[in-house]
Amino acid sequence: MHTRKKVEGVTLIGFVILLIVAGFFAYMAMRLIPMYVEYFGVLKALDQLRQDPRSATMGLTEVRAELSLKFNTQYVDENSVPPQAISLKKEAGASTVRVNYEKRVPFIYNIDLVGTFDKSVNLSDAGGE
């Protein structure tokens, strides 16, 4: 009497579909990761500005110039974060700098991945932790 052995495994078509899905998500990650690495550079530049004791008394032009220098050391593309994306709000003796920008990365054909980033930092406690 012959008994059938159950064959287990992935068929070639199943494996190809799995590779296509994995490739799609790997490609998406390759397009998104640089966008977020750049954003973390913006965060680090803002933190460096916050720790500068002079920053609480700076005007908008000075803040933009200082951040532009810090963005260069953090590999932030000046086209990604233009000077218009940086604003300064002074209210009741408190200064707050805000960086608000949108990053668009081509994905597939006419489809783009869009990231919207918005971060505010209080400069009134400049020099503090």
Side-chain angles (χ1 to χ4, degrees):
M1 178 177 257
H2 293 285
T3 59
R4 285 190 170 205
K5 290 185 178 181
K6 188 174 180 181
V7 178
E8 294 182 17
V10 179
T11 64
L12 180 61
I13 293 173
F15 184 69
V16 169
I17 291 172
L18 183 68
L19 279 179
I20 290 171
V21 170
F24 175 80
F25 284 107
Y27 179 68
M28 186 185 303
M30 288 184 339
R31 303 304 289 168
L32 286 174
I33 288 172
M35 181 189 314
Y36 279 94
V37 167
E38 186 175 60
Y39 175 64
F40 289 125
V42 169
L43 294 180
K44 188 166 184 181
L46 282 170
D47 190 51
Q48 289 173 350
L49 180 68
R50 184 184 61 78
Q51 292 178 8
D52 186 349
R54 303 174 297 125
S55 65
T57 59
M58 289 182 181
L60 179 59
T61 307
E62 295 169 301
V63 167
R64 285 179 174 170
E66 194 69 27
L67 278 177
S68 178
L69 288 173
K70 292 180 186 326
F71 286 166
N72 286 337
T73 61
Q74 297 299 327
Y75 303 106
V76 175
D77 185 15
E78 62 187 32
N79 295 324
S80 296
V81 188
Q84 300 81 12
I86 302 167
S87 61
L88 182 67
K89 182 178 176 184
K90 291 192 176 203
E91 188 174 272
S95 297
T96 303
V97 66
R98 178 181 180 201
V99 178
N100 183 8
Y101 68 100
E102 181 178 283
K103 177 79 174 187
R104 186 174 291 270
V105 177
F107 184 56
I108 299 172
Y109 186 56
N110 61 351
I111 299 172
D112 290 350
L113 298 174
V114 180
T116 304
F117 302 99
D118 189 356
K119 179 68 177 174
S120 295
V121 173
N122 186 353
L123 299 180
S124 297
D125 59 349
E129 282 297 315

